[in-house]
Amino acid sequence: MKKFLITFGCVCLTVAAAVLFGGCDNMKQVPPGYIAKKLTPTGWEKKIYESGMVNVGTRSNDGTMNVLVICEASTATIKEQFGKEAADKADSEDHRMLTKDGVPLTVDVYVRVLLPDDEESRNNIFVMVTPKAASDIHVQQIKLEDVYVRFARPNIRSGARAIFAEQSSYTAVYQNFKTISDQVGALVAETFKTAKVPLRLQAVELSNVKPDDIIWQANAAKASAEAEVNRIKAIGDSLKASPEYREYMMWKQLEKIAEIGSKTGLNTIIIVPVGSEALGKQLAAAEYLRQQVATKDKVEPAPSPPKPAEAE
């Protein structure tokens, strides 16, 4: 009996231990393209985890627990948008650039970044950037854009505005686009250096630079008017160089009228100016136009039969 009790007690202890320690397992995934660190109630665990499974444990009786903080480890492209409406719909302010002439410009700046390789920079990200909560209370996340916003965004946005403010007009921006693009790229690189941004800068691209839509429409109307003026001037120059050109253009327009009249099937009256010097030519042209307006279904008269041969 005594031996049985000892054996039963050992089994109970074994089961209790299995439940106690087995129940503490709480596996969380570090996805591919991410790294992670474990944040305990007493601070950061030293180890940096690569993709795989990590045991974070369960919540203790006093409510404390470990949290797995994951961070992007691939490249990310951040869009700095200077537009009439910000990317954040809650922000209703106008963020467009202004040149010296006061014309608002929409501008996009794309900044491509990569997580650094050295352990010190990676640790700085976990320590200095506040992670965002996920649906799982045991997991939080840091994106590379969060790091960029924390260290670089304010200086880059104000510096870019200063660069565009030096331009006299939006046309000057187009003329100096390459220079301005290089200046913005140098601004971003200098900001990363002086602010000690814990990211690797890969590329900077200036894009979608255009003035307000009202300016676009005004320029299109102006270009159309200028084209019409040039066309009229070309006709006037041709008339001066060749008086016959005026007559040619008149008959070209009358031909169009005749073509429209033939399609509608309605009677078309064409008034032709007649001058004493070219009366015959103008009358002949008028007759030609009359024939063009005439119905296309007009039956042509049959040819006359051949005459019989005369008897010898």
Side-chain angles (χ1 to χ4, degrees), residues 4 23 37 58 66 225 235 288 306:
F4 171 76
K37 290 195 73 170
T58 57
N66 298 329
I235 293 175
Y288 168 75

Side-chain angles (χ1 to χ4, degrees), residues 122-271:
R122 293 186 172 195
N123 282 326
N124 286 339
I125 291 175
F126 285 102
V127 172
M128 302 181 70
V129 179
T130 303
K132 295 180 179 178
S135 56
D136 189 336
I137 61 172
H138 288 279
V139 179
Q140 295 181 359
Q141 184 178 15
I142 297 175
K143 292 188 175 182
L144 296 186
E145 185 171 359
D146 299 331
V147 183
Y148 170 87
V149 170
R150 165 69 173 77
F151 287 91
R153 171 161 285 172
N155 290 342
I156 289 175
R157 289 187 70 85
S158 61
R161 289 186 181 281
I163 291 173
F164 277 85
E166 294 176 354
Q167 302 301 313
S168 60
S169 64
Y170 74 92
T171 53
V173 171
Y174 290 151
Q175 293 169 357
N176 304 320
F177 187 87
K178 179 64 169 59
T179 301
I180 296 173
S181 181
D182 292 343
Q183 289 176 338
V184 173
L187 164 70
V188 175
E190 182 63 21
T191 300
F192 270 55
K193 180 180 178 181
T194 56
K196 297 181 180 179
V197 181
L199 294 173
R200 288 169 53 192
L201 179 62
Q202 288 193 310
V204 179
E205 180 182 353
L206 190 64
S207 178
N208 193 32
V209 179
K210 61 181 182 181
D212 187 89
D213 289 341
I214 296 177
I215 304 298
W216 275 119
Q217 295 169 7
N219 285 341
K222 179 181 177 182
S224 177
E226 289 177 349
E228 182 66 14
V229 169
N230 291 334
R231 187 182 73 84
I232 294 173
K233 183 177 183 301
I235 293 175
D237 293 342
S238 299
L239 289 174
K240 292 178 181 178
S242 175
E244 291 81 5
Y245 183 74
R246 176 177 177 275
E247 187 174 340
Y248 165 77
M249 289 297 296
M250 180 186 70
W251 290 116
K252 291 294 290 183
Q253 296 301 319
L254 291 177
E255 282 182 354
K256 291 181 181 179
I257 296 173
E259 182 180 355
I260 295 173
S262 64
K263 289 181 179 179
T264 60
L266 302 175
N267 292 331
T268 304
I269 299 175
I270 302 175
I271 300 175

Side-chain angles (χ1 to χ4, degrees), residues 42-119:
T42 58
W44 290 99
E45 190 180 83
K46 184 176 181 180
K47 182 178 180 180
I48 296 180
Y49 296 91
E50 302 292 338
S51 58
M53 303 302 294
V54 178
N55 183 13
V56 298
T58 57
R59 183 183 300 211
S60 64
N61 293 332
D62 61 1
T64 60
M65 62 182 180
N66 298 329
V67 175
L68 185 68
V69 180
I70 62 175
C71 176
E72 280 184 307
S74 57
T75 59
T77 300
I78 296 102
K79 179 181 179 180
E80 285 292 1
Q81 184 176 0
F82 300 85
K84 190 172 183 178
E85 294 182 359
D88 182 4
K89 299 301 182 183
D91 185 357
S92 59
E93 294 185 10
D94 192 333
H95 292 272
R96 289 176 293 181
M97 303 281 201
L98 290 177
T99 51
K100 288 182 179 180
D101 61 356
V103 173
L105 296 177
T106 296
V107 179
D108 290 336
V109 179
Y110 292 91
V111 182
R112 190 163 68 248
V113 297
L114 177 67
L115 187 74
D117 296 326
D118 64 288
E119 186 174 337

